[in-house]
Each structure stands twice: as structure tokens, then as C-alpha cells.
């Protein structure tokens, strides 16, 4: 057996390169001649140097549930972090995030980047704000990363579905507040927005401004609110009306009924 083949066999047999260093089988090593041992030492030294160079090119995502490899050029993890803030959630709730999955005819397709819904409704280039730097959209948003237009109404529906099934006051207030921000200056969905605004008025009269309730993480029980049942009924009515507007309201590509 040649020295090269023997060393390759050792590598295959021992899988000796580990993230913490090298592990060799002492029995196999004892069979090496002095020249082979010297060559093996050089092999290990070169592998260590290469490993350090490769390690310098990459880093791991700080999110313990992701741990994706990031290149030195990446400022954040595109797999789990918001492309606006750019932070990640330890326990990511998909209903509070937007993803670029545009179905527009484009040879590049959607970029797949995601952002927090809270960040998007405040960003001037998302097309949700009336005074943003991009033309305002109605029921859609611009991906901040690539600029493609994406549907926003499925996310709006998710907020009210969660609101109507919520048990905690802070969850109810957060979801209704977000649904209101999504259609803040709508013309197409004004009837839906009217229902949400009525629900907000009921809640404001009893618990105060929704932003403050969400910020305080008020974990009170909805059943203890005098307006709780009425607010959730309004959520149900709004979702039912929304469903009547589309042939398949849960589909990725919704189509309005004539």
C-alpha cells in the first residue's frame, strides 16, 4: 500500500477531522514508518490551515433554531431574519411575517425573503403607508428586498381568524390592530375596514388604545371584557364577508368573484 493510499484509508476509516480538531486511531498510526508519520503531520497541518481559512469565510446564524451558514458578506440570515429590521424571532409565528411569494410573470421569480408584518406596515417602501415613497397599494405590498408586489389580504384574514379565536386580551388587540393597519387607507376593502374600526372603538372604550395594551402584554381574559363577545362576533362577520368576496379565500392566488 502506498503512503498516499494508506493516509486516505486512515481518513476514511477514522473520519478524523472534527470541528474541535483531529482524532487518529493510535493502532493504525503505530504501523506507519517515520516518513509516513511526517507526511501525515504535514497533511494534518495543511488541513487545519484550510479549515481555519474556510471557517473565516462563514459564520453561523445566531438563531438557535436555524443555525444556517452565513457568508462573510451577509449582514443577516435570509432564511429566518427580517429583511427590514433585520432581527429574528426565537419562536417565529408565520402569521406575523410576510414572505415574497409573488406570482407575477418574472424570469427570476419571487426572492423568498421575509419580514415582520409590524415592520412592513411602517416601512415607506412597502406601499402600505399612504405617505410612503412608493405608490400606495390596496391589499398588497411591495417586497422590500426585490420590489415585487405580493398579496396582503390572506395575511389580513389570518389576523382576524386568530382574533376571533383568541382568549387573551393582548392577542385580540394585537391582531385587530394589525388588520386595521393593513387596510388603513383602503378603498377596495372599505366595508371590511369599517367592521375592524367598529371593533377598535369598542376596545378603546374599555381597555384604552390598542398600541398600549399590546405593549404592556396585558394577559387578561377576553371573557372578562364586556365587549369581548361582540368584538369577536365582528371578527367572524368580517371574515365571512371576506370569504364571500373570493372564490377561494385561503388559496395562495386568490381571485375576486364577479
Amino acid at each position: 500500500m502506498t503512503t498516499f493510499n494508506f493516509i486516505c484509508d486512515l481518513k476514511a476509516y477514522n473520519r478524523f477531522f472534527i470541528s474541535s480538531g483531529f482524532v487518529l486511531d493510535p493502532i493504525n498510526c503505530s504501523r506507519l514508518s517515520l516518513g509516513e508519520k511526517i507526511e501525515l503531520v504535514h497533511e494534518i497541518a495543511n488541513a487545519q490551515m484550510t479549515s481555519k481559512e474556510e471557517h473565516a469565510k462563514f459564520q453561523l446564524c445566531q438563531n438557535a433554531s436555524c443555525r444556517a451558514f452565513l457568508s462573510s458578506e451577509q449582514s443577516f440570515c435570509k432564511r429566518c431574519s427580517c429583511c427590514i429590521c433585520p432581527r429574528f424571532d426565537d419562536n417565529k409565528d408565520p402569521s406575523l411575517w410576510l414572505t415574497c411569494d409573488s406570482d407575477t410573470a418574472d424570469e427570476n421569480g419571487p426572492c423568498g425573503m421575509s419580514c415582520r408584518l409590524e415592520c412592513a406596515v411602517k416601512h415607506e417602501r412597502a406601499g402600505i403607508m399612504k405617505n410612503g415613497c412608493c405608490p400606495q397599494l390596496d391589499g398588497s405590498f411591495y417586497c422590500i428586498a426585490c420590489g415585487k408586489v405580493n398579496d396582503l389580504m390572506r395575511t389580513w384574514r389570518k389576523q382576524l381568524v386568530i382574533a376571533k379565536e383568541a382568549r387573551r386580551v393582548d392577542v385580540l388587540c394585537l391582531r385587530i390592530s394589525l388588520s386595521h393597519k393593513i387596510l388603513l387607507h383602503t378603498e377596495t376593502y372599505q366595508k371590511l375596514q369599517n367592521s375592524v374600526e367598529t371593533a377598535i372603538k369598542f376596545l378603546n372604550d374599555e381597555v384604552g388604545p390598542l398600541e398600549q395594551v399590546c405593549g404592556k402584554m396585558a394577559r387578561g381574559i377576553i371573557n372578562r371584557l364586556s365587549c369581548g363577545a361582540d368584538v369577536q362576533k365582528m371578527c367572524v362577520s368580517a371574515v365571512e364577508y371576506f370569504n364571500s368576496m373570493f372564490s377561494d379565500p385561503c388559496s395562495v392566488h386568490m381571485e375576486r368573484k364577479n
Side-chain angles (χ1 to χ4, degrees):
M1 177 184 293
T2 65
T3 301
F4 177 79
N5 289 336
F6 188 80
I7 292 173
C8 288
D9 184 62
L10 274 178
K11 290 179 182 177
Y13 178 78
N14 294 299
R15 308 284 297 180
F16 65 79
F17 180 70
I18 305 176
S19 59
S20 60
F22 295 88
V23 177
L24 297 174
D25 185 345
I27 296 177
N28 283 331
C29 286
S30 65
R31 297 171 182 168
L32 294 174
S33 67
L34 179 59
E36 289 173 334
K37 288 178 181 177
I38 292 174
E39 187 173 347
L40 182 57
V41 168
H42 286 304
E43 287 271 337
I44 293 173
N46 291 334
Q48 283 180 322
M49 187 176 297
T50 302
S51 173
K52 290 178 180 178
E53 291 174 354
E54 290 297 321
H55 183 71
K57 295 179 182 178
F58 296 94
Q59 57 183 335
L60 288 177
C61 172
Q62 297 297 310
N63 185 352
S65 61
C66 177
R67 306 301 284 173
F69 281 103
L70 308 179
S71 67
S72 57
E73 292 80 21
Q74 285 183 265
S75 59
F76 67 98
C77 179
K78 297 180 180 180
R79 177 175 162 182
C80 71
S81 301
C82 173
C83 65
I84 299 177
C85 17
R87 298 188 300 270
F88 61 83
D89 291 341
D90 292 326
N91 297 306
K92 187 173 181 178
D93 183 344
S95 67
L96 294 174
W97 287 68
L98 299 175
T99 301
C100 180
D101 57 0
S102 173
D103 61 340
T104 55
D106 191 310
E107 60 180 7
N108 296 320
C111 70
M113 296 283 278
S114 60
C115 66
R116 286 190 176 96
L117 177 56
E118 282 273 22
C119 293
V121 295
K122 299 174 184 176
H123 200 282
E124 60 181 9
R125 288 196 290 113
I128 302 173
M129 297 172 56
K130 188 173 184 179
N131 57 346
C133 62
C134 293
Q136 184 188 353
L137 299 174
D138 199 341
S140 304
F141 73 97
Y142 296 108
C143 173
I144 301 303
C146 70
K148 291 185 175 65
V149 176
N150 290 264
D151 171 71
L152 195 53
M153 293 310 295
R154 282 178 294 126
T155 299
W156 178 92
R157 183 181 183 278
K158 287 177 185 176
Q159 305 313 307
L160 289 194
V161 167
I162 293 172
K164 73 184 180 67
E165 297 173 352
R167 295 185 178 183
R168 282 177 17 201
V169 174
D170 60 331
V171 174
L172 176 68
C173 291
L174 173 63
R175 300 301 179 151
I176 289 181
S177 174
L178 287 173
S179 64
H180 182 254
K181 290 176 182 177
I182 288 173
L183 296 181
L184 189 57
H185 303 288
T186 185
E187 295 180 3
T188 306
Y189 305 101
Q190 190 58 56
K191 187 170 182 177
L192 296 175
Q193 186 71 332
N194 290 343
S195 297
V196 173
E197 288 177 346
T198 302
I200 288 177
K201 184 178 184 306
F202 275 50
L203 288 170
N204 282 342
D205 290 343
E206 187 162 350
V207 301
L210 302 195
E211 295 289 343
Q212 294 182 16
V213 176
C214 299
K216 293 177 181 177
M217 293 292 288
R219 298 177 182 272
I221 304 302
I222 292 176
N223 289 342
R224 295 177 182 174
L225 297 178
S226 60
C227 69
D230 290 332
V231 168
Q232 290 188 308
K233 285 180 182 177
M234 292 176 197
C235 294
V236 172
S237 298
V239 170
E240 289 177 348
Y241 182 74
F242 174 84
N243 291 346
S244 69
M245 297 174 68
F246 297 91
S247 56
D248 187 358
C250 297
S251 172
V252 174
H253 310 302
M254 298 185 302
E255 293 185 5
R256 289 286 299 270
K257 290 181 178 178
N258 295 329

